[in-house]
Amino acid sequence: MTTARASIPRYDAANANRFGPCMIEHRTAGTGLSQLGTYFMIYDTDGHSEPWTLHYEETVYVIEGQVRLITVENDTDRELTGDPGDLIVLPKGTTVRYGAAVGTRLLLSISPVDWRERVDGLT
């Protein structure tokens, strides 16, 4: 078994992708972490992402700005608004639309990071 080395991962444009109204960067990609993934999300436009159902557990920490997540619970939309310093917890199976004020910066952590490998039929 290979052990991951302690590191300070830096920004890598190869790990950044557009996700609806924001850019999301998988900061811990390539670090050897097998369970935990950490991402930075920065909003540069208004609006919300398309609905996404989580195949993992997720936390969202608001670094700057204001996040406005919409979750679907029993066919009803529920808005969760978070300000700097707030932590939002999204259990596995939550359906969410990510949105925030322009300039908002978030730190997301998910587990397990290798969820795609664990879910048959998803790419």
Side-chain angles (χ1 to χ4, degrees):
M1 179 174 146
T2 303
T3 303
R5 294 183 54 159
S7 63
I8 301 174
R10 304 291 182 197
Y11 174 81
D12 182 346
N15 297 323
N17 296 289
R18 168 103 355 232
F19 182 73
C22 66
M23 291 298 292
I24 186 167
E25 178 216 353
H26 185 181
R27 184 61 63 102
T28 55
T31 63
L33 292 182
S34 63
Q35 295 298 308
L36 179 66
T38 304
Y39 301 76
F40 285 99
M41 193 178 254
I42 301 172
Y43 284 80
D44 55 7
T45 60
D46 288 322
H48 283 82
S49 68
E50 294 297 317
W52 173 251
T53 300
L54 303 180
H55 298 278
Y56 42 81
E57 297 175 333
E58 180 174 325
T59 59
V60 178
Y61 178 77
V62 183
I63 299 169
E64 180 179 14
Q66 184 179 68
V67 67
R68 295 183 298 270
L69 304 182
I70 297 173
T71 61
V72 179
E73 299 173 7
N74 300 319
D75 295 324
T76 303
D77 288 352
R78 175 180 176 222
E79 186 172 70
L80 297 171
T81 302
D83 296 310
D86 286 344
L87 183 71
I88 298 171
V89 175
L90 301 172
K92 180 179 179 180
T94 300
T95 298
V96 61
R97 294 177 63 218
Y98 298 87
V102 172
T104 295
R105 293 181 18 200
L106 307 174
L107 177 74
L108 286 68
S109 293
I110 71 167
S111 181
V113 70
D114 64 349
W115 65 270
R116 286 183 193 269
E117 298 166 14
R118 297 173 182 228
V119 178
D120 292 334
L122 289 181
T123 58

